PDB file of all heavy atoms in Angstrom:
ATOM      1  N   THR W 146       1.529  20.979  31.949  1.00  0.00           N
ATOM      2  CA  THR W 146       0.562  21.995  32.351  1.00  0.00           C
ATOM      3  C   THR W 146       0.998  22.784  33.582  1.00  0.00           C
ATOM      4  O   THR W 146       0.895  24.012  33.623  1.00  0.00           O
ATOM      5  CB  THR W 146      -0.810  21.349  32.603  1.00  0.00           C
ATOM      6  OG1 THR W 146      -1.249  20.711  31.406  1.00  0.00           O
ATOM      7  CG2 THR W 146      -1.844  22.378  33.037  1.00  0.00           C
ATOM      8  N   GLY W 147       1.494  22.091  34.606  1.00  0.00           N
ATOM      9  CA  GLY W 147       1.865  22.765  35.848  1.00  0.00           C
ATOM     10  C   GLY W 147       2.904  23.845  35.610  1.00  0.00           C
ATOM     11  O   GLY W 147       2.792  24.967  36.131  1.00  0.00           O
ATOM     12  N   LEU W 148       3.922  23.529  34.813  1.00  0.00           N
ATOM     13  CA  LEU W 148       4.982  24.517  34.582  1.00  0.00           C
ATOM     14  C   LEU W 148       4.576  25.561  33.550  1.00  0.00           C
ATOM     15  O   LEU W 148       5.036  26.695  33.601  1.00  0.00           O
ATOM     16  CB  LEU W 148       6.280  23.816  34.188  1.00  0.00           C
ATOM     17  CG  LEU W 148       6.915  23.143  35.416  1.00  0.00           C
ATOM     18  CD1 LEU W 148       8.075  22.266  35.030  1.00  0.00           C
ATOM     19  CD2 LEU W 148       7.359  24.194  36.423  1.00  0.00           C
ATOM     20  N   VAL W 149       3.686  25.194  32.629  1.00  0.00           N
ATOM     21  CA  VAL W 149       3.121  26.202  31.725  1.00  0.00           C
ATOM     22  C   VAL W 149       2.308  27.211  32.538  1.00  0.00           C
ATOM     23  O   VAL W 149       2.372  28.429  32.299  1.00  0.00           O
ATOM     24  CB  VAL W 149       2.253  25.515  30.636  1.00  0.00           C
ATOM     25  CG1 VAL W 149       1.368  26.521  29.914  1.00  0.00           C
ATOM     26  CG2 VAL W 149       3.142  24.779  29.638  1.00  0.00           C
ATOM     27  N   MET W 150       1.568  26.713  33.520  1.00  0.00           N
ATOM     28  CA  MET W 150       0.784  27.622  34.385  1.00  0.00           C
ATOM     29  C   MET W 150       1.714  28.490  35.222  1.00  0.00           C
ATOM     30  O   MET W 150       1.457  29.680  35.422  1.00  0.00           O
ATOM     31  CB  MET W 150      -0.157  26.821  35.285  1.00  0.00           C
ATOM     32  CG  MET W 150      -1.255  26.101  34.532  1.00  0.00           C
ATOM     33  SD  MET W 150      -2.587  25.461  35.608  1.00  0.00           S
ATOM     34  CE  MET W 150      -1.717  24.232  36.582  1.00  0.00           C
ATOM     35  N   LEU W 151       2.790  27.901  35.724  1.00  0.00           N
ATOM     36  CA  LEU W 151       3.772  28.695  36.486  1.00  0.00           C
ATOM     37  C   LEU W 151       4.341  29.812  35.603  1.00  0.00           C
ATOM     38  O   LEU W 151       4.444  30.968  36.038  1.00  0.00           O
ATOM     39  CB  LEU W 151       4.912  27.803  36.996  1.00  0.00           C
ATOM     40  CG  LEU W 151       6.039  28.585  37.682  1.00  0.00           C
ATOM     41  CD1 LEU W 151       5.602  29.101  39.052  1.00  0.00           C
ATOM     42  CD2 LEU W 151       7.297  27.735  37.790  1.00  0.00           C
ATOM     43  N   ALA W 152       4.702  29.455  34.377  1.00  0.00           N
ATOM     44  CA  ALA W 152       5.271  30.449  33.460  1.00  0.00           C
ATOM     45  C   ALA W 152       4.277  31.576  33.220  1.00  0.00           C
ATOM     46  O   ALA W 152       4.639  32.760  33.207  1.00  0.00           O
ATOM     47  CB  ALA W 152       5.660  29.780  32.133  1.00  0.00           C
ATOM     48  N   GLN W 153       2.999  31.215  33.063  1.00  0.00           N
ATOM     49  CA  GLN W 153       1.980  32.236  32.835  1.00  0.00           C
ATOM     50  C   GLN W 153       1.801  33.112  34.067  1.00  0.00           C
ATOM     51  O   GLN W 153       1.677  34.333  33.962  1.00  0.00           O
ATOM     52  CB  GLN W 153       0.650  31.568  32.448  1.00  0.00           C
ATOM     53  CG  GLN W 153      -0.431  32.517  32.027  1.00  0.00           C
ATOM     54  CD  GLN W 153      -0.070  33.297  30.770  1.00  0.00           C
ATOM     55  OE1 GLN W 153       0.934  33.013  30.105  1.00  0.00           O
ATOM     56  NE2 GLN W 153      -0.845  34.307  30.472  1.00  0.00           N
ATOM     57  N   ALA W 154       1.839  32.490  35.256  1.00  0.00           N
ATOM     58  CA  ALA W 154       1.730  33.257  36.502  1.00  0.00           C
ATOM     59  C   ALA W 154       2.882  34.231  36.633  1.00  0.00           C
ATOM     60  O   ALA W 154       2.691  35.402  37.014  1.00  0.00           O
ATOM     61  CB  ALA W 154       1.692  32.306  37.701  1.00  0.00           C
ATOM     62  N   VAL W 155       4.075  33.779  36.290  1.00  0.00           N
ATOM     63  CA  VAL W 155       5.265  34.635  36.374  1.00  0.00           C
ATOM     64  C   VAL W 155       5.115  35.823  35.407  1.00  0.00           C
ATOM     65  O   VAL W 155       5.429  36.965  35.751  1.00  0.00           O
ATOM     66  CB  VAL W 155       6.543  33.815  36.076  1.00  0.00           C
ATOM     67  CG1 VAL W 155       7.740  34.707  35.848  1.00  0.00           C
ATOM     68  CG2 VAL W 155       6.788  32.820  37.215  1.00  0.00           C
ATOM     69  N   ARG W 156       4.610  35.557  34.203  1.00  0.00           N
ATOM     70  CA  ARG W 156       4.435  36.630  33.230  1.00  0.00           C
ATOM     71  C   ARG W 156       3.402  37.660  33.711  1.00  0.00           C
ATOM     72  O   ARG W 156       3.584  38.868  33.540  1.00  0.00           O
ATOM     73  CB  ARG W 156       3.990  36.058  31.874  1.00  0.00           C
ATOM     74  CG  ARG W 156       5.062  35.204  31.217  1.00  0.00           C
ATOM     75  CD  ARG W 156       4.569  34.691  29.849  1.00  0.00           C
ATOM     76  NE  ARG W 156       5.391  33.571  29.416  1.00  0.00           N
ATOM     77  CZ  ARG W 156       4.946  32.331  29.243  1.00  0.00           C
ATOM     78  NH1 ARG W 156       3.680  32.040  29.452  1.00  0.00           N
ATOM     79  NH2 ARG W 156       5.774  31.389  28.871  1.00  0.00           N
ATOM     80  N   LEU W 157       2.316  37.164  34.329  1.00  0.00           N
ATOM     81  CA  LEU W 157       1.298  38.077  34.852  1.00  0.00           C
ATOM     82  C   LEU W 157       1.883  38.988  35.934  1.00  0.00           C
ATOM     83  O   LEU W 157       1.615  40.183  35.980  1.00  0.00           O
ATOM     84  CB  LEU W 157       0.113  37.281  35.421  1.00  0.00           C
ATOM     85  CG  LEU W 157      -0.837  36.652  34.412  1.00  0.00           C
ATOM     86  CD1 LEU W 157      -1.836  35.750  35.144  1.00  0.00           C
ATOM     87  CD2 LEU W 157      -1.571  37.717  33.620  1.00  0.00           C
ATOM     88  N   VAL W 158       2.697  38.380  36.798  1.00  0.00           N
ATOM     89  CA  VAL W 158       3.290  39.154  37.896  1.00  0.00           C
ATOM     90  C   VAL W 158       4.327  40.138  37.352  1.00  0.00           C
ATOM     91  O   VAL W 158       4.335  41.316  37.717  1.00  0.00           O
ATOM     92  CB  VAL W 158       3.902  38.207  38.940  1.00  0.00           C
ATOM     93  CG1 VAL W 158       4.781  38.979  39.924  1.00  0.00           C
ATOM     94  CG2 VAL W 158       2.798  37.461  39.686  1.00  0.00           C
ATOM     95  N   ARG W 159       5.178  39.660  36.447  1.00  0.00           N
ATOM     96  CA  ARG W 159       6.201  40.543  35.884  1.00  0.00           C
ATOM     97  C   ARG W 159       5.583  41.738  35.153  1.00  0.00           C
ATOM     98  O   ARG W 159       6.107  42.842  35.177  1.00  0.00           O
ATOM     99  CB  ARG W 159       7.049  39.778  34.873  1.00  0.00           C
ATOM    100  CG  ARG W 159       8.160  38.937  35.461  1.00  0.00           C
ATOM    101  CD  ARG W 159       8.972  38.426  34.280  1.00  0.00           C
ATOM    102  NE  ARG W 159       9.886  37.384  34.656  1.00  0.00           N
ATOM    103  CZ  ARG W 159      10.230  36.379  33.850  1.00  0.00           C
ATOM    104  NH1 ARG W 159       9.664  36.283  32.644  1.00  0.00           N
ATOM    105  NH2 ARG W 159      11.083  35.479  34.237  1.00  0.00           N
ATOM    106  N   ALA W 160       4.450  41.460  34.480  1.00  0.00           N
ATOM    107  CA  ALA W 160       3.810  42.517  33.702  1.00  0.00           C
ATOM    108  C   ALA W 160       3.069  43.506  34.584  1.00  0.00           C
ATOM    109  O   ALA W 160       2.612  44.544  34.114  1.00  0.00           O
ATOM    110  CB  ALA W 160       2.835  41.899  32.697  1.00  0.00           C
TER     111      ALA W 160
END
Side-chain angles (χ1 to χ4, degrees):
Chain W
T146 301
L148 286 171
V149 165
M150 293 193 295
L151 174 73
Q153 187 63 9
V155 167
R156 294 182 197 116
L157 285 172
V158 168
R159 278 187 193 147

